[in-house]
Amino acid sequence: MSTVQSAIADSLEAVSSSERMTANQYAYAAMEDGALASSQEAKAAAGEAEAKVIEQKISKEEQKLMPPPQKSVSTGGKGGGTKMVDDTEKIKMINQNIKGFENELKQARDEVATAKQLAQGHRNDQSEDRAKSQEFNSNANQLNSQATRERDAVFLSEEFTKMKDTAKIDKLTDEKQRNKAEERRSTRRASSREQNVEQQRLEEEELLAEKQRIDEQEQQENQASQGTQATQTNKRRGRG
């Protein structure tokens, strides 16, 4: 079981590492998106400043037409008089300048709009990349937590196994000690029985010897009694 849990923990940690790497990639991409967005925003700001300058130039040119520039021309005739008329050449030149500035203004405004659009796109990408980075980091954290729980389970299982093994060893030790004690008691009981048997044998031998002694004594006494009776009988027969 511990081996399986260790393998699961290793797998979870490997996946977590991969998720963390992906999260870092998205975080780096978000940084790049932010840099690109800032560049486009700076470009848009510069374009807006340039557009204001162009607008000022257009305004100055338009002011030249209010009133339109004039020039003095001869009225002809004998008097040789002159009159003031619009200077069409200058007016044409001013209008050309205005048109040129308007083209520049349009181009500047288009560039500003494009830069702002690109900047917004990069900001959107940045937000998405940040969200992705947070998502993968969250996944990695969850996987790491799960792997830690598996590691803790393995540790507890191993500790429990050690405790069981220790308990088994203690139990075996106790059993051995009890067996040895029982063997010593059995040996003592066997020795005691042997001593009792030997003591009983000795007592029986003593009793038997005592009995034999008593029997021999009685036999001797009987023999002596019988000898006395025979002597007395002979004596009586002699007197008769």
Side-chain angles (χ1 to χ4, degrees):
M1 184 63 180
S2 297
T3 303
V4 174
Q5 287 177 315
S6 294
I8 292 173
D10 290 340
S11 177
L12 289 171
E13 288 174 349
V15 176
S16 174
S17 178
S18 176
E19 294 285 293
R20 190 80 69 190
M21 186 178 299
T22 303
N24 291 337
Q25 289 174 348
Y26 274 110
Y28 182 75
M31 290 176 60
E32 288 185 330
D33 292 331
L36 292 172
S38 296
S39 175
Q40 292 297 327
E41 287 167 353
K43 186 175 181 180
E48 288 177 341
E50 183 181 357
K52 288 182 179 180
V53 172
I54 295 172
E55 287 174 351
Q56 291 174 357
K57 289 180 179 180
I58 292 174
S59 178
K60 287 181 180 181
E61 292 297 317
E62 288 175 344
Q63 288 176 4
K64 292 178 182 179
L65 296 175
M66 294 182 297
Q70 292 183 337
K71 65 179 179 178
S72 175
V73 296
S74 176
T75 57
K78 294 180 180 180
T82 60
K83 62 178 181 178
M84 299 298 295
V85 297
D86 290 342
D87 190 341
T88 56
E89 292 295 330
K90 284 186 178 182
I91 292 172
K92 182 179 180 180
M93 184 180 65
I94 292 171
N95 285 329
Q96 287 177 346
N97 290 339
I98 292 173
K99 186 176 181 180
F101 288 143
E102 286 177 345
N103 289 335
E104 290 180 12
L105 180 61
K106 182 179 182 305
Q107 183 177 354
R109 286 174 175 173
D110 289 343
E111 289 177 355
V112 168
T114 299
K116 286 184 176 181
Q117 184 178 359
L118 291 173
Q120 186 59 48
H122 289 308
R123 290 299 180 194
N124 293 338
D125 291 341
Q126 183 182 32
S127 297
E128 291 179 2
D129 290 337
R130 283 176 175 171
K132 286 290 185 180
S133 178
Q134 291 175 356
E135 178 183 351
F136 280 98
N137 269 324
S138 177
N139 292 340
N141 291 335
Q142 291 177 1
L143 291 168
N144 269 336
S145 297
Q146 190 173 352
T148 300
R149 289 194 294 271
E150 294 294 336
R151 295 285 186 205
D152 290 342
V154 170
F155 175 76
L156 292 175
S157 176
E158 291 176 348
E159 288 298 310
F160 182 68
T161 300
K162 290 178 182 178
M163 291 174 62
K164 289 197 297 183
D165 291 341
T166 301
K168 288 180 180 178
I169 293 172
D170 292 342
K171 184 177 180 181
L172 290 173
T173 302
D174 292 342
E175 289 180 355
K176 288 181 179 179
Q177 290 176 349
R178 285 195 297 271
N179 291 337
K180 287 182 179 180
E182 184 62 29
E183 287 176 1
R184 288 194 294 269
R185 285 194 294 270
S186 298
T187 301
R188 286 196 297 270
R189 285 196 296 268
S191 177
S192 178
R193 284 196 298 270
E194 290 176 358
Q195 290 176 357
N196 292 336
V197 169
E198 180 66 17
Q199 181 67 28
Q200 185 177 359
R201 186 183 64 79
L202 292 173
E203 290 176 356
E204 288 176 354
E205 288 179 354
E206 289 178 358
L207 289 173
L208 182 61
E210 181 66 19
K211 182 179 179 182
Q212 289 176 351
R213 186 182 63 78
I214 292 171
D215 289 344
E216 290 176 354
Q217 184 178 357
E218 288 179 351
Q219 185 177 1
Q220 290 175 358
E221 289 178 353
N222 289 334
Q223 289 176 354
S225 176
Q226 289 175 1
T228 300
Q229 290 177 0
T231 300
Q232 290 177 355
T233 300
N234 290 331
K235 285 180 179 181
R236 284 194 298 269
R237 286 178 180 176
R239 284 193 298 269

